[in-house]
Amino acid sequence: DTTVKQNPRYKLARVGKPVNLICSQTMNHDTMYWYQKKPNQAPKLLLFYYDKILNREADTFEKFQSSRPNNSFCSLYIGSAGLEYSAMYLCASSSPGGAREQYFGPGTRLTVL
Amino acid sequence: GDSVTQTEGQVALSEEDFLTIHCNYSASGYPALFWYVQYPGEGPQFLFRASRDKEKGSSRGFEATYNKEATSFHLQKASVQESDSAVYYCALSDGSWQLIFGSGTQLTVMP
């Protein structure tokens, strides 16, 4: 079973309000990722967990937070949403090691008004 | 930094046409190269990968050959079907956890 689930599938948020997105995977993968995808752009890596270690990209360090309470679940948290956060958020997981294929969830479409 | 370029933003074909989607990369090392496909309402799905020069990756009738000299990994299929309509992403990994994606190519196949 190569399933990655994301909740909710659609999220509407007000400017300045917090947003919490959830991801789960059943493959016992050590590594979980969050990407941001905007129209006509490549998916952009925001952060990833290897086991319990969080790695955040330098340019998103202060904008996004995450937690991983157990191996199967991972959240993405935005403390104060801005209009620029409107995008598709994709969660993925992979087995450990570099250059591994990643398995993606269906995404959460976030609209900030 | 490393990057992936897909020159075609959109490709429109008829069923049984030959498909080529161009992918070129720029990397300081010797990256692994990937193709992913994304159908409407779903996340990207791994299609195949190649890790060495002249290695051919293939799946579901799609194929691409790693060309280190040309820094390319072009996706091809001999005869497309309407069900192949999707967004195709080329990506690379330098051996770290990060996948660097191209901007994607929307393939539309008309019956």
Side-chain angles (χ1 to χ4, degrees), chain B residues 28-101:
Chain B
S28 55
Y30 204 143
L33 302 175
F34 299 77
W35 277 102
Y36 281 77
V37 57
Q38 185 174 19
Y39 298 102
E42 300 179 11
Q45 296 177 19
F46 169 75
L47 201 52
F48 57 80
R49 61 176 279 175
S51 302
R52 303 182 307 276
D53 189 24
K54 299 181 178 53
E55 180 181 356
K56 179 186 286 187
S58 64
S59 176
R60 310 183 207 175
F62 293 91
E63 63 180 37
T65 301
Y66 196 132
N67 188 327
K68 191 172 190 300
E69 183 178 12
T71 62
S72 68
F73 193 55
H74 305 318
L75 181 69
Q76 294 186 323
K77 187 175 185 182
S79 177
V80 294
Q81 302 300 311
E82 189 178 3
S83 57
D84 293 327
S85 296
V87 179
Y88 292 81
Y89 292 98
C90 184
L92 70 80
S93 172
D94 61 3
S96 68
W97 277 275
Q98 184 171 8
L99 264 182
I100 296 172
F101 286 89

Side-chain angles (χ1 to χ4, degrees), chain A:
Chain A
D1 181 16
T2 55
T3 301
V4 179
K5 295 183 179 179
Q6 293 188 240
N7 288 296
R9 293 294 307 275
Y10 301 90
K11 176 71 177 176
L12 190 62
R14 296 292 182 186
V15 170
K17 297 298 186 182
V19 175
N20 196 46
L21 308 179
I22 303 295
C23 176
S24 65
Q25 51 95 5
T26 57
M27 296 167 281
N28 202 33
H29 282 161
D30 282 11
T31 310
M32 295 185 73
Y33 311 78
W34 281 101
Y35 290 84
Q36 181 189 65
K37 171 75 173 71
K38 294 187 175 182
N40 302 317
Q41 295 182 18
K44 174 182 166 57
L45 180 67
L46 299 176
L47 53 87
F48 69 93
Y49 266 100
Y50 171 60
D51 196 14
K52 291 180 170 45
I53 300 171
L54 174 61
N55 299 268
R56 287 185 282 184
E57 294 297 292
D59 58 344
T60 59
F61 191 85
E62 296 181 349
K63 297 180 180 180
F64 298 93
Q65 296 177 36
S66 183
S67 66
R68 192 175 185 188
N70 58 54
N71 195 54
S72 299
F73 289 86
C74 188
S75 68
L76 181 70
Y77 181 76
I78 301 168
S80 177
L83 296 175
E84 71 277 15
Y85 288 86
S86 291
M88 176 72 81
Y89 289 86
L90 295 165
C91 175
S93 69
S94 72
S95 54
R100 301 281 185 175
E101 57 266 30
Q102 296 180 15
Y103 296 88
F104 285 81
T108 295
R109 183 169 297 283
L110 173 64
T111 302
V112 182
L113 301 174

